[in-house]
DNA sequence: CTCTCTGCAAATTATTTGCATGATA
DNA sequence: TATCATGCAAATAATTTGCAGAGAG
């Protein structure tokens, strides 16, 4: 990949991701960064989010029913997505690296444990039902 | 939901899903079902795949980088997606229902264990690298 | 007969890309 | 001043939807 040059827009996006817990969509990032850069385009947001994901400065989290989410917290941790309301949450739990031994009996691939995605119902949705 | 009526197209789609192991995309299903119903439309395929997923006759598996996959094997099992080649595979491993106890210390939601998605490199991609 | 399902085409949604101009090193 | 980044608009890709007619119950 070509050498990265500094850009104020990218810095702002990176900074926003570091200070939010909501795992925003590209569009949400766009809305926020536009407060500082009113002329920024959605294309630029996408380009930078992908760059940050490549350099490891952000995580790109695919979700069912469209719209990737982004996370500025890059230390290994697990994610949970509520299939009811779509909310993406961090799971603060111990590593499940041993999953490779469990799966390994019939599987010769290598699971990258901390990219595992969990689905279910979040607390709010359980209470509402 | 409204009462379902029989349709030969839906039956054919369901049947194809039951006899393939490849976790096809909607488009792949379309290609195959078109051999029996040359005039079937992609819209109909999508509508029926979604109906089958709702009635529990098929699983809809979201993937990173676009394109849901479908699975006619509806008994609980885990899935693995190769982040290198995109291949979707069944993982024949014991249940990890206890994940709820591990995650539960800091999490009041409910993980539906068998919908957990694992990512990593498949055997083929490991050998090639 | 009534309501569901189909084929077709147009509409949506999320994301990417080409290009001329602007910013960084 | 060479190269990367931006803004804008057009292009893709995956999926959904409106509608008029065909098929199932």
């Amino acid at each position: 990949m070509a050498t990265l040059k500094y850009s104020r827009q990218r810095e702002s996006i990176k900074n926003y991701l570091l200070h939010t817990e909501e795992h925003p969509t590209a569009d949400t990032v766009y809305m926020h960064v536009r407060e500082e850069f009113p002329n920024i385009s959605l294309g630029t947001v996408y380009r930078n989010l992908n760059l940050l994901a490549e350099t490891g400065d952000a995580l790109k989290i695919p979700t069912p029913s469209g719209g990737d989410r982004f996370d500025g917290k890059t230390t290994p941790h697990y994610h949970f997505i509520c299939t009811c309301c779509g909310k993406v949450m961090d799971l603060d739990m111990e590593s499940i690296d041993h999953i490779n031994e469990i799966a390994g009996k019939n599987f010769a691939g290598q699971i990258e444990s901390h990219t595992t995605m969990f689905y279910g119902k979040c607390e709010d949705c359980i209470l509402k039902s």
Side-chain angles (χ1 to χ4, degrees), chain A residues 2-83:
Chain A
T3 323
L4 281 217
K5 280 185 182 176
Y6 172 87
S7 102
R8 288 176 302 142
Q9 287 88 335
R10 180 157 58 240
E11 206 57 26
S12 176
I13 290 169
K14 187 170 162 185
N15 190 59
Y16 171 62
L17 286 182
L18 278 174
H19 296 294
T20 181
E21 298 263 300
E22 66 170 317
H23 304 88
T25 61
D27 205 69
T28 303
V29 173
Y30 173 59
M31 299 301 199
H32 278 86
V33 176
R34 210 149 53 140
E35 287 167 18
E36 191 179 350
F37 296 93
N39 295 319
I40 197 172
S41 78
L42 195 48
T44 297
V45 171
Y46 272 105
R47 262 182 299 233
N48 280 308
L49 286 172
N50 285 331
L51 279 176
L52 292 172
E54 276 173 40
T55 59
D57 290 311
L59 298 176
K60 186 176 189 171
I61 306 165
T63 72
S65 69
D68 289 342
R69 303 300 203 89
F70 296 87
D71 189 350
K73 178 178 168 185
T74 56
T75 51
H77 63 285
Y78 298 98
H79 287 107
F80 169 87
I81 301 183
C82 179
T83 50

Side-chain angles (χ1 to χ4, degrees), chain A residues 16 20 24 30 43 45 53 64 70-72 80 88-89 94 98 100 108 110 116 119 121-122:
Chain A
Y16 171 62
T20 181
Y30 173 59
V45 171
F70 296 87
D71 189 350
F80 169 87
V88 179
M89 304 170 66
E94 65 198 64
H98 65 285
N100 271 294
Q110 185 73 26
T116 300
Y119 300 92
K121 277 196 174 187
C122 72

Side-chain angles (χ1 to χ4, degrees), chain A residues 85-103:
Chain A
C85 70
K87 192 167 161 187
V88 179
M89 304 170 66
D90 287 344
L91 285 182
D92 180 23
M93 65 181 217
E94 65 198 64
S95 169
I96 54 162
D97 280 349
H98 65 285
I99 201 73
N100 271 294
E101 283 135 51
I102 298 176

Side-chain angles (χ1 to χ4, degrees), chain A residues 100-117:
Chain A
N100 271 294
E101 283 135 51
I102 298 176
K105 292 169 206 155
N106 307 282
F107 176 69
Q110 185 73 26
I111 294 171
E112 202 156 334
S113 144
H114 64 275
T115 63
T116 300
M117 291 294 315

